[in-house]
Amino acid sequence: MRIALDARGAARFRGTGIGTYTWQLLANLVQLEAIQLTVFVAAGSDGLPPLPPTVRSVPVPAGPVETEDAWIAAYLHRHEPDVYHLPQNGLGLPVGFRGRLVVTVHDLIPYVLPETCSAHYRERFLRDLPRVVQAADRIIAVSQATRADLIALAAARPEQVTVVHEAAEPQYSPSPRRAAGSGPTPYLLYVGGFNRRKNLSLLVRAFSEALRELPEPLELVLAGDPGPIGAALAREAEEAGVSCRLKLPGCIPLPLLPGLYREAVAFIYPSLYEGFGLPVLEAMACGTPVVAAGVPALREVAGPAALWFDPTDLQGLSAAISRLVLDPGLRARLSAQGLARARQFSWERCARETAQIYAQAYALRPPLPGR
């Protein structure tokens, strides 16, 4: 099969969920012999996985989103791949494209929590997703939770949607770790975006509550681009008297993230909604015990390997933090369970299952004229 993949996000969005997915999918698809791959990449981009000579890399001239999509549409019209794969949450369908289409949908945030999205993204997503669902031969959902949302909220047909899970990247591993007492001040860790959906205000307030009964020094590290929300979180910490315990280091370079995970006392993920929740899986792959909001996608990913709380319950999160910090046996158990759970997910399997979906999409329609 001749497969075309929009891989612009592999470099542009590296470090985000969609960027990680696109990068790792590409890195593992090129190992398969059953497909002939053409990839669209952002012009002048670097940081892509190694591409063998058998892969045709096509730089897309930089411009506004609509201009780039139109350029890809013209290329597809000239070259007519057997299947075209859009991996970035249903966005970017070229106008007039009538070929076989596979789309990956990661989440439906504009449907579920529209107030947490930018107006521009919300408008584009709500406009584009219905026509993508209508056009797609097959849709890949990254979780059963996202599949259920696609069927319930976007009128996707059940037989149209297949779940293919993501995985932690290979660099997230449990070793090496510093010896106890030889590292920095013990800290709780959050890694991810800063917006209302991530529920970080609740985390800061729960942390301040938990400190009242914790005997040891403890910090809260919120890693990522804080944007305007960072100032509000800093004010909340100051009002709660814990500003000296809150650390906002900004975006952490990818090579340093595994070490940041490994050395944390626990990883806390209070999000109100997720399509998958890669940071939870990354933390578990590093052997770090996880406290997570009990929303469907996160429960699907972590299973019994996390300590759960209701993301609307301040006291519940505070109690979970205290319990985990004070109970080394619980931390050890969750660490072991998390490592075992993370090993159940694989990017190599993700690529193989994705290639099977390409074959299914190909079989749904007869070959294009002249092929």
Side-chain angles (χ1 to χ4, degrees):
M1 291 179 295
R2 298 189 311 157
I3 307 300
L5 170 70
D6 183 353
R8 289 174 291 172
R12 280 183 175 169
F13 307 130
R14 189 77 169 110
T16 70
I18 290 177
T20 297
Y21 170 83
T22 307
W23 199 99
Q24 285 293 339
L25 179 63
L26 176 57
N28 286 273
L29 280 176
V30 299
Q31 307 300 319
L32 304 180
E33 297 181 355
I35 60 177
Q36 179 182 336
L37 197 60
T38 296
V39 296
F40 298 112
V41 299
S45 63
D46 53 13
L48 292 170
L51 301 179
T54 53
V55 174
R56 176 183 295 175
S57 179
V58 180
V60 179
V65 169
E66 294 78 8
T67 303
E68 291 191 9
D69 290 347
W71 190 94
I72 291 175
Y75 185 98
L76 293 171
H77 181 73
R78 292 193 306 271
H79 296 276
E80 295 181 338
D82 293 320
V83 178
Y84 179 46
H85 184 185
L86 276 175
Q88 62 268 15
N89 217 32
L91 300 179
L93 178 63
V95 174
F97 179 72
R98 295 292 181 267
R100 302 179 190 88
L101 179 66
V102 171
V103 177
T104 300
V105 176
H106 300 261
D107 57 61
L108 279 79
I109 297 166
Y111 284 85
V112 180
L113 290 173
E115 69 279 6
T116 68
C117 304
S118 71
H120 173 75
Y121 177 73
R122 181 170 61 245
E123 178 182 348
R124 186 183 178 207
F125 188 88
L126 295 177
R127 179 196 68 209
D128 286 1
L129 188 67
R131 69 186 185 96
V132 164
V133 168
Q134 185 175 15
D137 295 280
R138 284 287 184 263
I139 299 174
I140 296 170
V142 298
S143 65
Q144 294 290 350
T146 292
R147 182 179 185 272
D149 287 344
L150 275 164
I151 295 168
L153 303 175
R157 305 183 308 278
E159 68 276 10
Q160 186 184 19
V161 189
T162 302
V163 174
V164 178
H165 286 132
E166 301 173 315
E169 296 185 275
Q171 65 266 30
Y172 296 102
S173 65
S175 61
R177 296 179 72 98
R178 290 190 181 95
S182 65
T185 300
Y187 61 90
L188 307 175
L189 177 65
Y190 164 84
V191 174
F194 280 64
N195 59 55
R196 291 168 60 191
R197 175 174 62 91
K198 297 299 187 177
N199 207 19
L200 297 179
S201 174
L202 183 88
L203 176 53
V204 170
R205 288 181 285 130
F207 174 70
S208 67
E209 291 279 335
L211 285 179
R212 297 176 182 176
E213 57 180 286
L214 296 177
E216 61 185 87
L218 190 67
E219 295 179 342
L220 175 61
V221 177
L222 308 181
D225 180 4
I229 290 181
L233 294 174
R235 285 194 299 272
E236 287 197 48
E238 185 174 4
E239 291 168 2
V242 295
S243 58
C244 62
R245 303 286 191 96
L246 177 64
K247 307 299 178 184
L248 300 170
C251 291
I252 305 298
L254 286 177
L256 301 181
L257 265 178
L260 190 69
Y261 277 119
R262 289 183 199 116
E263 303 304 327
V265 174
F267 180 75
I268 319 292
Y269 208 66
S271 182
L272 295 167
Y273 171 81
E274 291 292 323
F276 186 81
L278 263 179
V280 167
L281 204 55
E282 292 166 353
M284 292 193 302
C286 290
T288 301
V290 170
V291 178
V295 298
L298 296 182
R299 284 189 176 275
E300 181 180 338
V301 169
L307 188 60
W308 300 106
F309 67 94
D310 181 334
T312 66
D313 183 2
L314 172 66
Q315 296 303 322
L317 175 53
S318 174
I321 290 172
S322 297
R323 181 184 171 197
L324 197 62
V325 172
L326 293 172
D327 188 342
L330 176 60
R331 294 201 303 276
R333 176 172 63 80
L334 289 178
S335 174
Q337 289 179 330
L339 285 168
R341 185 74 175 183
R343 285 193 289 268
Q344 297 177 20
F345 298 81
S346 159
W347 284 115
E348 187 272 337
R349 183 169 65 246
C350 173
R352 280 192 287 105
E353 292 177 355
T354 299
Q356 292 170 4
I357 292 169
Y358 295 158
Q360 293 168 10
Y362 181 77
L364 285 174
R365 295 198 239 170
L368 298 170
R371 294 295 308 281

